[in-house]
Amino acid sequence: MERTTKGNLITAATGEIQFEQVAKSIDAKTGQYVACQRCGCTLNQLPADACPVCKNPPQHCRPIEPPA
């Protein structure tokens, strides 16, 4: 898939590579994730007081494995 923007050729693959590099950088810094079992909000640390989305207590958050 290719598109032209202001005379520059941009490929979808370039965007995917850039996103992958950013995602790997973030994963290397955090490495741990928790997900709220009520609303699905995914965070890189357990919330102190409540889920930022549904406001349920942090006991509803469970650790999840980061994507491979």
Side-chain angles (χ1 to χ4, degrees):
M1 172 189 273
E2 296 180 349
R3 67 177 185 219
T4 303
T5 305
K6 295 184 181 179
N8 296 325
L9 185 62
I10 301 171
T11 64
T14 301
E16 290 172 15
I17 291 169
Q18 290 173 346
F19 176 78
E20 187 174 322
Q21 290 170 343
V22 170
K24 284 181 182 180
S25 174
I26 292 169
D27 286 344
K29 291 178 184 176
T30 59
Q32 297 180 343
Y33 298 92
V34 295
C36 177
Q37 298 297 298
R38 296 256 172 118
C39 72
C41 175
T42 304
L43 306 163
N44 61 4
Q45 63 184 0
L46 192 64
D49 297 327
C51 173
V53 175
C54 68
K55 308 300 183 210
N56 279 301
Q59 293 85 349
H60 294 285
C61 293
R62 300 284 181 253
I64 58 171
E65 294 292 321

